[in-house]
Amino acid sequence: MPTSREYARLRSRMVDEQLVKRGISESRLLDALRMMPRHQFVPEEHKPHAYEDRPLPIGDGQTISQPYIVAFMTENLRLKPHHRVLEIGTGSGYQTAILCHLADYVYSVERISRLAEVAGARIGDLGYSNLDIHVGDGSQGLPDQAPFDRIMVTAAVPRLPDVLCAQLSQFGGQLILPIGDAPAQELKLIARTADRFTTRGLLGCRFVPLIGRYGFDSKTDSTSFVS
C-alpha cells in the first residue's frame, strides 16, 4: 500500500498529466485536486488505483467518477466562493468535497443511506462543515432549499428534468448533467437567465443511472451504464 508521501506524488502526477495536459486550467480547482485525498474515498482494495484516470467501484452498484470527469464538470460550472450548490448523487463524497472546497455551501442528495453516511463522515474528517447531505430521491432536487446558483448531477437521466431547471437561480444559474441511456449519454450544461434557458452539449460520457421519479426505474441495471 502506498505511503502518504507516495499518494501525494501520485496525486500531483494525476493533476499534471491527466488534467492540465487535457485542458483543465482553473487555478482554484487545480489546487483543490492537488490536495484532496481521493484514495480516502475508495474501498481499501482500490486505493492503489485511486489516482488513475478511470472510475472505480464504491459498492451498491455505484462508482467514483474518473478524475478528468470530476475536473471537467466542476470547471464548466465556473464556481465562485459565494455560490450555493446542489449536488445530485453524493456517492463516495469525493466530488462533494471538491464542491465544498470551492463554494460557500453545498446541499447533496444521495439515494443510498449507507453511502450518504460514509461520505458525510469522510468529508467531515477533512474539516468541511459547509455541507448538508439528504437521503432521498435526487431527481426531485431540493425545492425547499432552492434557488441554487449551481446544480451538478452525477448520474445519468433519460431526459432533462424540468423540476431541476426550476430550482436554478434566475440570475445566471447553471446546471450540468449527463443525459441519455446506457449506450449513449451526453454531458450538457444548462444556463438560466430569468425564464430563458440555453443548453450546450459538452462531451460524450457514461454514468450510472439516476434512479428516481424523474430518472430511471429502480429495476434499471446500473452495470450496463459504466464501462
Side-chain angles (χ1 to χ4, degrees):
M1 195 65 66
T3 65
S4 296
R5 180 174 294 183
E6 288 169 333
Y7 276 131
R9 179 180 57 81
L10 291 170
R11 193 158 54 245
S12 180
R13 189 171 70 183
M14 175 193 80
V15 172
D16 293 338
E17 297 182 3
Q18 300 172 23
L19 308 182
V20 174
K21 286 185 177 180
R22 295 175 71 183
I24 304 300
S25 62
E26 206 282 309
S27 59
R28 291 177 64 235
L29 171 59
L30 291 174
D31 288 344
L33 291 162
R34 287 186 194 278
M35 56 79 64
M36 195 64 67
R38 189 173 187 257
H39 63 278
Q40 294 185 18
F41 291 86
V42 300
E44 197 71 24
E45 64 270 24
H46 296 299
K47 289 185 185 298
H49 308 290
Y51 298 103
E52 297 173 6
D53 195 33
R54 60 186 175 105
L56 294 170
I58 59 172
D60 297 287
Q62 306 300 300
T63 62
I64 181 173
S65 294
Q66 70 183 95
Y68 177 72
I69 287 295
V70 170
F72 184 86
M73 291 181 72
T74 306
E75 185 168 66
N76 273 276
L77 277 184
R78 303 186 184 279
L79 289 164
K80 303 298 182 185
H82 65 275
H83 280 163
R84 297 172 74 251
V85 179
L86 171 63
E87 178 194 41
I88 306 301
T90 314
S92 71
Y94 176 70
Q95 174 72 81
T96 318
I98 296 292
L99 296 175
C100 287
H101 189 84
L102 298 173
D104 180 59
Y105 205 87
V106 177
Y107 295 86
S108 190
V109 186
E110 172 56 54
R111 180 177 62 90
I112 302 169
S113 59
R114 183 193 69 84
L115 292 180
E117 182 179 353
V118 172
R122 284 174 178 151
I123 296 168
D125 287 345
L126 291 173
Y128 296 103
S129 58
N130 56 332
L131 170 67
D132 190 1
I133 297 180
H134 295 251
V135 176
D137 179 2
S139 74
Q140 301 187 56
L142 283 178
D144 291 346
Q145 300 295 338
F148 299 99
D149 299 297
R150 299 289 187 267
I151 299 177
M152 176 184 286
V153 183
T154 60
V157 294
R159 62 194 64 83
L160 180 63
D162 292 339
V163 66
L164 295 183
C165 291
Q167 292 175 40
L168 280 174
S169 167
Q170 297 186 38
F171 306 100
Q174 294 186 37
L175 159 66
I176 193 166
L177 77 173
I179 299 178
D181 58 15
Q185 299 171 14
E186 184 177 18
L187 196 63
K188 294 191 176 184
L189 183 69
I190 290 84
R192 179 179 188 180
T193 302
D195 289 326
R196 182 171 178 266
F197 295 87
T198 58
T199 301
R200 180 161 61 97
L202 299 176
L203 83 168
C205 57
R206 295 194 73 174
F207 282 78
V208 296
L210 180 66
I211 304 301
R213 181 176 179 181
Y214 300 105
F216 288 93
D217 185 87
S218 60
K219 296 179 182 178
T220 301
D221 178 13
S222 63
T223 61
S224 65
F225 273 67
V226 178
S227 57

